[in-house]
Amino acid sequence: MTFAAWVNALLGLVNTVAAPAIVTLAFIVFLWGVVNYFFLNGGNEDKRVEGRQFMIWGILGMVLLFGVWGVVNLIVATLGFSS
């Protein structure tokens, strides 16, 4: 198996398993923050701050993942590994 075949197999695995799993996890963290901020802890300001932090970290996780995913796909396409 050639190096390009290994890279394509790894990219296929990342694109079909790892990336969706991480996006799902980041979205769940964001939703947990929304639930904590708006529904569970409406009167407790400390818990609302915690919910806001979950929302921020969820959004940052998704933005970071999509940014890195885009850069990696750009590099792979530039080097000619994509099929």
Side-chain angles (χ1 to χ4, degrees), residues 23 25-31 34 52-66:
V23 168
L25 180 65
F27 187 69
I28 289 171
V29 167
F30 173 76
L31 284 180
V34 169
R52 188 178 327 132
Q53 289 297 323
F54 272 105
M55 288 188 287
I56 290 170
W57 283 111
I59 291 170
L60 284 175
M62 287 185 276
V63 167
L64 183 65
L65 176 71
F66 287 130

Side-chain angles (χ1 to χ4, degrees), residues 7-26:
V7 171
N8 283 333
L10 182 64
L11 285 173
L13 184 65
V14 167
N15 284 333
T16 58
V17 177
I22 296 172
V23 168
T24 303
L25 180 65

Side-chain angles (χ1 to χ4, degrees), residues 38-79:
F38 290 109
F39 301 112
L40 296 179
N41 302 306
N44 188 346
E45 190 60 35
D46 292 335
K47 292 291 186 176
R48 287 183 62 141
V49 168
E50 184 179 318
R52 188 178 327 132
Q53 289 297 323
F54 272 105
M55 288 188 287
I56 290 170
W57 283 111
I59 291 170
L60 284 175
M62 287 185 276
V63 167
L64 183 65
L65 176 71
F66 287 130
V68 169
W69 189 34
V71 169
V72 168
N73 282 328
L74 180 68
I75 291 170
V76 166
T78 302
L79 295 176

